[in-house]
Amino acid sequence: MRVVLLGPPGCGKGTQAYLIEEKYRLLRISTGDALRQAVRSGTPTGLRAEALMKKGRLVPDDLVAELVREALSSAQARRGYVLDGFPRNIGQAQRLEDMTGPQSEIAIEILLDPDELVRRLAGRRVCLPCQAVFNLEVNPPREAGRCDSCDGALEQRNDDRPEVIVERLRVFEQETAPLRDYYRKKKVYRPVSGEGPAALVFSRIAGLLDPLLAEPAGEKRN
Ligand code: AP5
C-alpha cells in the first residue's frame, strides 16, 4: 500500500508522516528530508538542489525521482510506504507509476487556511543534529533554542523566511495542486482538514487508513 501525502508547505505532512510510520509501520519517504540531508553532506545531489531549495523552487524531477527509487528498493518498502513531498507535479506522479507499476494507493491532502500555513512555518524550528521538529506556538522546546531529545541547537529552515514561503505557496498552486485532479481521476483522492492539534488531524487520517491497513491477527503490537 502506498500512502501519498499532499498539501501545501506547512500543512503538516511531515508531522503526519511520522505518525503514520509509527502506527502502521510503513516506510516513511520524505524527499525534503532526503534533499536537506544531501545538502548538509555536500553530495552532488545536494549541490544541485541547494540554490533551488533556498529560493523555494522545485528541484529537477530526475534528481528527486532517483532518491525515491533508492528508497523504494529497500526491503522495508515492501510492506508499504508513505510519501511526504513526492510526487510534487504530474511528471513525478507518472515517474512513480513507471517505477512501481500499478499499486493500491491513497492520496490524502491535508487542507489548511493560508494564514495558518504561514503561522506554522514561521514558528517552525528544527534540530540540526536529530531533525526533531518544534513549533514555537504549539510545540515549543522546554529550553529556548535547544532540542528536548538531544539538546542540539534549534534553527529556522532557510526556506521558512517570509519571502520564500510566498514563493513555495505559489509553486504549490502552480505545480502541485493539479495532482488533486490526477488522483481524483484515479478515485484515490481524499482531502482531510488540517485544522486543530496534530493528534486530531491524525485521527482523521487514521479514519481513512484503518480500513485499508488493518493488521492481520497475530501481527498486532503491544
Ligand atoms: P519539503 O521539506 O517537502 O517542504 P514542504 O512540502 O514545503 O513542507 P514542509 O516541510 O514545509 O511542511 P509540512 O507540510 O511537512 O509541515 P510540518 O509537519 O513540518 O520540501 C522542501 C523543498 O525541497 C521544496 O521547496 C523543494 O525545493 C524541495 N523538494 C522536496 N521534495 C521535492 C520534490 N518532490 N520535487 C522537487 N523538489 C522537492 O509542520 C510545519 C510546522 O507546523 C511545524 O513547526 C509543526 O510542528 C507544526 N505543526 C504540524 N502540525 C500541526 C498542527 N496540527 N497544529 C499546529 N502546528 C502543527
Side-chain angles (χ1 to χ4, degrees):
M1 164 62 70
R2 164 160 73 220
V3 179
V4 175
L5 285 183
L6 296 172
C11 69
K13 300 181 296 299
T15 303
Q16 297 301 323
Y18 274 106
L19 296 171
I20 292 170
E21 175 185 42
E22 194 184 17
K23 174 164 182 182
Y24 300 102
R25 289 182 284 158
L26 301 185
L27 175 66
R28 184 181 61 85
I29 302 174
S30 160
T31 45
D33 284 355
L35 288 166
R36 279 182 290 278
Q37 177 62 48
V39 170
R40 280 193 299 276
S41 311
T43 64
T45 297
L47 293 175
R48 277 181 74 194
E50 186 171 16
L52 290 161
M53 293 174 76
K54 265 190 192 154
K55 287 186 201 151
R57 307 266 168 80
L58 296 186
V59 308
D61 290 352
D62 62 331
L63 208 143
V64 272
E66 196 44 44
L67 293 173
V68 173
R69 188 190 306 280
E70 271 171 35
L72 291 179
S73 67
S74 79
Q76 230 194 319
R78 269 184 233 129
R79 183 183 155 82
Y81 50 94
V82 51
L83 290 168
D84 161 19
F86 184 92
R88 209 81 164 209
N89 57 32
I90 302 283
Q92 291 182 10
Q94 284 164 344
R95 279 172 188 251
L96 180 63
E97 297 277 338
D98 293 345
M99 275 183 229
T100 63
Q103 228 176 34
S104 58
E105 66 182 341
I106 179 169
I108 301 174
E109 177 170 6
I110 303 172
L111 305 172
L112 200 61
D113 174 72
D115 289 345
E116 177 65 10
L117 294 173
V118 173
R119 204 170 18 249
R120 288 189 190 177
L121 290 173
R124 174 164 54 190
R125 295 295 180 273
V126 183
C127 173
L128 277 184
C130 80
Q131 298 304 302
V133 177
F134 295 86
N135 189 283
L136 298 182
E137 277 189 35
V138 296
N139 175 28
R142 282 192 295 268
E143 188 188 336
R146 312 298 313 180
C147 176
D148 291 355
S149 317
C150 76
D151 200 39
L154 299 185
E155 283 215 347
Q156 187 165 34
R157 263 171 52 175
N158 60 17
D159 60 352
D160 280 347
R161 286 175 291 121
E163 65 278 18
V164 188
I165 292 175
V166 169
E167 176 62 5
R168 289 164 64 203
L169 292 172
R170 187 194 69 75
V171 169
F172 173 81
E173 284 306 325
Q174 187 175 314
E175 302 266 342
T176 310
L179 285 172
R180 288 179 189 133
D181 273 347
Y182 178 88
Y183 285 112
R184 264 191 204 113
K185 279 186 194 137
K186 297 180 83 183
K187 303 194 189 318
V188 296
Y189 175 77
R190 301 284 183 276
V192 296
S193 165
E195 279 176 36
L200 178 61
V201 178
F202 184 60
S203 70
R204 294 179 190 127
I205 291 177
L208 297 172
L209 294 184
D210 279 351
L212 303 174
L213 290 164
E215 290 183 348
E219 272 198 34
K220 292 215 185 296
R221 291 190 299 172
N222 296 326

